[in-house]
Amino acid sequence: MERNVLGLKHLLRQLLDFRKRERGHLNLKVREGDLVTVIQSIILNFKPLVQSKNIDLSFESPDELICYFDEDKLNKICQNLISNALKYNAEHGKVKIRL
């Protein structure tokens, strides 16, 4: 139930962001950071789903990748992509993420 509530909150935030973008009020908050660390933390959120569907989720990256990005926007994009990859993947399937 908690996961469903978090999912609904996520969808609501996306809808609000879409409205902000339509009105030209959506600003990027770009900062320097390690992209690898951020992606790894996003992937960890999907561990229960990966285990329940027995999906082989692999992540290939350099040890560190320092760049500029908006962490909130990156989070939303990556969560959406990974969520869809897992949702539409068969049990015992594979998902490979490579930077």
Side-chain angles (χ1 to χ4, degrees):
M1 187 162 56
E2 181 181 352
R3 189 173 50 173
N4 288 339
V5 169
L6 292 174
L8 287 173
K9 285 172 70 176
H10 176 72
L11 289 173
L12 181 58
R13 279 193 304 261
Q14 284 183 325
L15 183 59
L16 292 172
D17 284 348
F18 180 75
R19 294 291 294 157
K20 284 181 189 177
R21 185 180 178 284
E22 277 186 333
R23 295 180 179 167
H25 299 291
L26 186 63
N27 298 318
L28 291 177
K29 296 176 183 151
V30 177
R31 67 169 185 82
E32 185 178 37
D34 181 14
L35 191 60
V36 174
T37 303
V38 173
I39 301 296
Q40 284 174 331
S41 69
I42 294 168
I43 291 170
L44 282 177
N45 294 330
F46 290 97
K47 190 174 182 177
L49 181 58
V50 168
Q51 290 174 338
S52 72
K53 289 186 77 174
N54 294 311
I55 293 176
D56 177 20
L57 176 61
S58 62
F59 178 54
E60 295 177 10
S61 70
D63 292 335
E64 183 179 68
L65 183 56
I66 304 299
C67 57
Y68 290 91
F69 55 90
D70 181 320
E71 188 169 346
D72 180 57
K73 304 302 181 277
L74 179 69
N75 236 307
K76 289 175 185 176
I77 293 166
C78 290
Q79 284 189 18
N80 189 326
L81 290 171
I82 296 169
S83 175
N84 285 336
L86 296 173
K87 182 172 30 173
Y88 296 110
N89 205 320
E91 192 167 328
H92 300 288
K94 286 185 172 189
V95 174
K96 182 185 247 181
I97 301 167
R98 187 177 358 181
L99 292 180

